[in-house]
Amino acid sequence: MDRVIFNEDHHAFRASAKEYCDRSLVPRMEQFLEEKTIERAAWLEAGKQGFLGLDVPEEYGGSSVGDYRFNQVFAEEVSKVSAALSSCFGIHYDCAAPYFVDLGTEEQKQRWLPKFCSGEYIAAIGMTEPSGGSDLAALKTTAKKADGGWVLNGSKTFITNGDMADLVIVAARTTPEKGAKGITLFVVEEGMEGFARGRKLDKVGQTESGTSELFFEDLFVADDNVLGELDRGFIHMMERLAQERIGAAVSNIAHAAQILDETIDYVKQRKAFGQAIGSFQYNKFLIAELVTKVEVTQAYVDNGVVAHDENRLTAVDAAKTKWWSAHVQNEVLDACVQLHGGYGYMNEYRVARAWRDARVTKIWAGSNEIMKELIGRDLGL
């Protein structure tokens, strides 16, 4: 079924994004997997091509396209290469950018955004803590007022880009007695005394993304590194979760659709009992179901993108797209592994890596269970 939300500009942009992926990402994938990180050169090339500043005004080095469908197109093309790469770039240009653009002072924007857009600075978001998970209001990292700034103590975990981030948006508790209404956002910069990175976490999948623990020990952060309003950090985070979740949905279904296409090619060529395995009725029916499910989900996600672009996407509808796309993604990829047989369990096959990489999408950006809780509450349950 044709997708009708794109125009000629989007198609031209997709061609540029694909060319970047084919030239700068695909040939380096084995290196990224071995080193468990994305080398700086790939970031700098993305910045040079204008992919990292889509939401950033031109005066700060971005393109300020004002059309979320461009974010969608870039995420889709990167997701076709690797779910991990999409998550790393997505945290930077899709999740962190709105914080800097919407909440930053003029001085902060001038200081950070030009290098953010060029890829010289890589961004991460430090919200999740070892004891908190999806419960952002329960964080334990503290920031105590000091002369000219704040002193941070605490830790974060599961931080995408944490291994190499130059700028980390950190949520810390500034007024403990106010609960969720006492959280503030700070920008921690590489090289600050008291800021340390833990080991690269040994994940089940998404090997090529540098996911790390972050530690703050008596870390002094000046007042001019406070991002947004004092004690309104939780609200700032909630206001931007819809974009994070629709962005996750975009990547989820693009990733699944690509591997399903590759699996269809495989079952046309792979033979058993004298015929292509795709011609067996069970496999044929299964693939028909998977293709339909992917296309239905794609239409739903596209509708969510348009709603977000028109400022109509609610937090509840974003939750729906996030959990459903993750569910379908994992269902499709599990079936693709099965259709590959024993080869589907071999790491040298993309389908095996994709299957591993996808499992976390039902957990991050708010677990699927939390998404359903939000939806249930909205229904008055």
Side-chain angles (χ1 to χ4, degrees):
M1 187 173 293
D2 291 337
R3 300 171 67 189
V4 297
I5 68 169
F6 302 117
N7 60 35
E8 291 184 3
D9 290 338
H10 299 119
H11 294 312
F13 182 75
R14 186 182 296 279
S16 297
K18 184 179 185 306
E19 193 275 334
Y20 162 75
C21 291
D22 290 344
R23 184 187 67 251
S24 300
L25 300 182
V26 174
R28 294 170 170 159
M29 280 304 301
E30 293 304 318
Q31 174 191 341
F32 297 161
L33 286 164
E34 182 178 342
E35 297 177 356
K36 298 184 178 181
T37 194
I38 308 170
E39 68 171 347
R40 290 266 176 174
W43 287 92
L44 294 171
E45 183 62 25
K48 183 179 179 181
Q49 296 297 319
F51 297 128
L52 303 181
L54 296 173
D55 283 341
V56 177
E58 293 182 15
E59 59 263 38
Y60 307 115
S63 54
S64 191
V65 293
D67 182 343
Y68 191 74
R69 289 171 294 181
F70 287 98
N71 296 43
Q72 177 184 18
V73 166
F74 185 60
E76 288 179 351
E77 291 306 310
V78 177
S79 295
K80 293 175 184 178
V81 180
S82 157
L85 300 190
S86 182
S87 68
C88 290
F89 284 119
I91 285 292
H92 180 90
Y93 81 90
D94 199 48
C95 296
Y99 283 90
F100 291 116
V101 173
D102 299 342
L103 304 176
T105 64
E106 181 62 26
E107 184 277 330
Q108 289 173 336
K109 293 175 185 177
Q110 294 282 359
R111 179 162 36 125
W112 293 321
L113 286 177
K115 290 186 177 181
F116 174 96
C117 293
S118 70
E120 295 172 81
Y121 284 169
I122 296 171
I125 300 180
M127 295 183 184
T128 305
E129 297 188 348
S131 62
S134 295
D135 187 3
L136 297 180
L139 60 84
K140 296 181 178 179
T141 297
T142 61
K144 294 185 178 180
K145 195 70 182 77
D147 186 22
W150 301 78
V151 177
L152 268 65
N153 281 282
S155 64
K156 304 292 180 177
T157 194
F158 309 141
I159 306 304
T160 302
N161 295 340
D163 66 321
M164 62 192 308
D166 305 281
L167 305 171
V168 184
I169 300 170
V170 176
R173 194 172 295 284
T174 42
T175 310
E177 63 272 17
K178 293 172 67 175
K181 295 181 180 179
I183 294 171
T184 302
L185 302 180
F186 299 86
V187 177
V188 172
E189 300 182 59
E190 164 65 14
M192 285 183 169
E193 186 175 355
F195 172 38
R197 307 173 199 271
R199 59 192 173 89
K200 289 182 185 178
L201 298 174
D202 185 16
K203 307 186 299 294
V204 170
Q206 303 210 12
T207 307
E208 61 271 43
S209 68
T211 307
S212 300
E213 301 165 309
L214 303 178
F215 301 98
F216 318 107
E217 184 175 358
D218 295 330
L219 168 63
F220 178 79
V221 180
D223 285 327
D224 58 9
N225 274 41
V226 173
L227 190 62
E229 298 181 47
L230 186 67
D231 286 344
R232 286 181 59 85
F234 185 75
I235 294 172
H236 293 328
M237 290 187 287
M238 293 302 102
E239 290 173 341
R240 283 151 192 86
L241 277 178
Q243 177 154 317
E244 179 180 354
R245 287 169 179 164
I246 191 65
V250 165
S251 296
N252 293 346
I253 199 61
H255 181 237
Q258 176 63 28
I259 301 303
L260 179 56
D261 284 346
E262 294 176 16
T263 300
I264 292 171
D265 288 338
Y266 177 83
V267 299
K268 288 178 179 178
Q269 299 168 17
R270 178 72 173 171
K271 287 184 167 49
F273 305 104
Q275 63 187 100
I277 63 173
S279 67
F280 298 151
Q281 187 183 67
Y282 177 84
N283 291 343
K284 186 187 302 182
F285 283 12
L286 173 61
I287 292 169
E289 291 176 8
L290 297 176
V291 168
T292 304
K293 196 167 289 188
V294 165
E295 291 191 7
V296 169
T297 304
Q298 184 68 74
Y300 186 56
V301 172
D302 284 351
N303 190 57
V305 167
V306 172
H308 181 56
D309 205 39
E310 297 174 352
N311 296 314
R312 295 186 292 104
L313 183 68
T314 66
V316 172
D317 285 342
K320 292 173 185 175
T321 62
K322 186 273 173 186
W323 93 259
W324 179 252
S325 64
H327 171 77
V328 169
Q329 176 191 27
N330 278 268
E331 183 178 26
V332 168
L333 293 176
D334 191 71
C336 288
V337 168
Q338 192 72 17
L339 287 163
H340 276 76
Y343 292 106
Y345 205 62
M346 299 297 107
N347 280 326
E348 64 189 274
Y349 277 72
R350 268 170 54 84
V351 67
R353 297 197 297 269
W355 177 60
R356 295 198 325 262
D357 291 349
R359 184 56 183 84
V360 72
T361 67
K362 296 199 287 185
I363 299 173
W364 68 14
S367 69
N368 279 9
E369 291 77 14
I370 295 294
M371 299 301 96
K372 294 174 187 178
E373 177 70 21
L374 295 174
I375 298 163
R377 288 179 190 174
D378 186 63
L379 295 171
L381 302 174

